[in-house]
């Protein structure tokens, strides 16, 4: 829970360890239309799918809303590039292989070079792609939190996108801290996309975030 040197006591200076501002913005998109008439156990028809039913429902919503979320990601990248130009690097975290492939395709259509790292790639291939991004020969870094959401240093970028949400707070917050970490010189901007059917998941995620911040402050 130590966040900065002064947490260890008054004799420790925070010089060089003060982080710039962090902004997290949440964007809701429509739930997928597929499967909205699923039947409940009591015979009633479900008008809106509630992903709080379980992980299986959440995974299905993520698959069926894929196109909607990728198009929202395209829109957000357009808006961001309109403000900063087209040279800044970015990080995109995804969950599914199909999602990663769809984002790759979208980035290619937008003329954005991408280092996309999959678990199925050989280690040497992933390292080469990572080096291309770190050498600024690729603009977008695209991978999964389960692979690179902890331990990697990506703070040469200050823009991050989550085209979906999940229940795992630790993975989510660790992903943010790949950019928002000591050595970051620019304000970090994170944009999160979720469907209206995933509102409960986001609520749970934000509750865990509040608990984490409260616990850290108390300790």
């Amino acid at each position: 829970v130590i966040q900065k040197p002064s947490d260890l006591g008054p004799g420790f200076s925070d010089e060089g360890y003060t982080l710039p501002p962090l902004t997290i913005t949440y964007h809701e998109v429509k739930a997928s239309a597929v499967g909205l008439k699923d039947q409940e156990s009591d015979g009633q028809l479900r008008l809106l799918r509630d992903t709080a039913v379980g992980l299986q429902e959440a995974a299905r919503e993520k698959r069926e809303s894929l196109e909607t979320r990728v198009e929202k990601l395209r829109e957000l990248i357009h808006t961001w590039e309109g403000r900063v130009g087209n040279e800044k690097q970015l990080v995109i975290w995804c969950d599914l292989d199909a999602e990663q492939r769809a984002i790759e395709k979208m980035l290619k259509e937008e003329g954005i070079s991408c280092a996309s790292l999959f678990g199925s790639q050989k280690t040497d291939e992933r390292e080469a792609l990572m080096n291309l991004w770190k050498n600024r020969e690729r603009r977008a870094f695209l991978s999964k939190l389960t692979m690179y959401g902890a331990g990697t240093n990506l703070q040469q970028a200050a823009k991050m996108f989550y085209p979906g949400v999940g229940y795992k707070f630790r993975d989510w917050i660790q992903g943010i801290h790949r950019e928002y970490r000591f050595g970051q010189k620019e304000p970090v901007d994170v944009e999160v996309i979720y469907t209206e059917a995933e509102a409960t998941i986001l609520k749970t995620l934000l509750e865990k975030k509040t608990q984490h911040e409260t616990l850290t402050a108390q300790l």
Side-chain angles (χ1 to χ4, degrees), residues 80-81 86-90 112-113 133 138-141:
W80 170 65
E81 286 196 319
N86 61 0
E87 295 182 359
K88 295 277 188 177
Q89 288 184 295
L90 60 151
I112 297 174
S113 57
W133 187 81
R138 297 288 187 275
R139 285 191 60 207
F141 176 88

Side-chain angles (χ1 to χ4, degrees), residues 30 40 47 56 67 89 125 136-137 175 188 213-214:
K30 291 289 184 183
E40 300 282 13
L47 295 178
Q56 187 174 4
E67 184 177 342
Q89 288 184 295
E125 183 180 358
R136 303 185 185 275
E137 295 176 57
V188 173
E213 291 169 347
T214 301

Side-chain angles (χ1 to χ4, degrees), residues 19-181:
L19 289 171
L22 168 67
T23 302
I24 306 177
T25 309
Y26 305 92
H27 305 273
E28 183 179 281
V29 297
K30 291 289 184 183
S32 62
V34 181
L36 289 182
K37 292 185 179 180
D38 289 348
Q39 190 168 334
E40 300 282 13
S41 58
D42 61 2
Q44 297 296 314
L45 291 180
R46 191 183 308 164
L47 295 178
L48 287 175
R49 182 156 61 250
D50 182 1
T51 55
V53 169
L55 294 176
Q56 187 174 4
E57 282 284 336
R60 185 172 69 169
E61 174 63 20
K62 196 172 290 293
R63 289 193 302 270
E64 294 174 355
S65 64
L66 175 58
E67 184 177 342
T68 301
R69 291 184 292 106
V70 171
E71 284 308 306
K72 183 62 178 180
L73 176 61
R74 186 197 303 267
E75 174 192 322
L76 293 176
I77 290 176
H78 269 300
T79 301
W80 170 65
E81 286 196 319
R83 295 195 304 266
V84 302
N86 61 0
E87 295 182 359
K88 295 277 188 177
Q89 288 184 295
L90 60 151
V91 172
I92 304 173
W93 296 117
C94 60
D95 290 307
L96 309 172
D97 280 356
E99 186 179 30
Q100 192 165 344
R101 293 298 185 194
I103 294 171
E104 279 183 351
K105 181 175 180 292
M106 180 273 289
L107 292 173
K108 184 176 181 180
E109 291 169 353
E110 297 300 317
I112 297 174
S113 57
C114 174
S116 182
L117 282 67
F118 286 87
S120 59
Q121 295 165 331
K122 293 182 179 179
T123 302
D124 289 348
E125 183 180 358
R126 293 200 305 270
E127 288 181 354
L129 287 167
M130 174 72 84
N131 287 332
L132 285 173
W133 187 81
K134 288 190 171 182
N135 292 333
R136 303 185 185 275
E137 295 176 57
R138 297 288 187 275
R139 285 191 60 207
F141 176 88
L142 171 62
S143 194
K144 300 178 182 68
L145 291 170
T146 52
M147 291 178 58
Y148 291 96
T152 50
N153 298 317
L154 306 176
Q155 69 265 45
Q156 69 186 55
K159 184 68 176 182
M160 182 176 291
F161 294 96
Y162 283 86
V165 293
Y167 284 108
K168 296 181 179 179
F169 169 75
R170 180 186 177 279
D171 289 353
W172 183 70
I173 198 68
Q174 283 289 329
I176 290 173
H177 283 285
R178 296 314 93 216
E179 284 188 2
Y180 193 63
R181 57 195 291 111

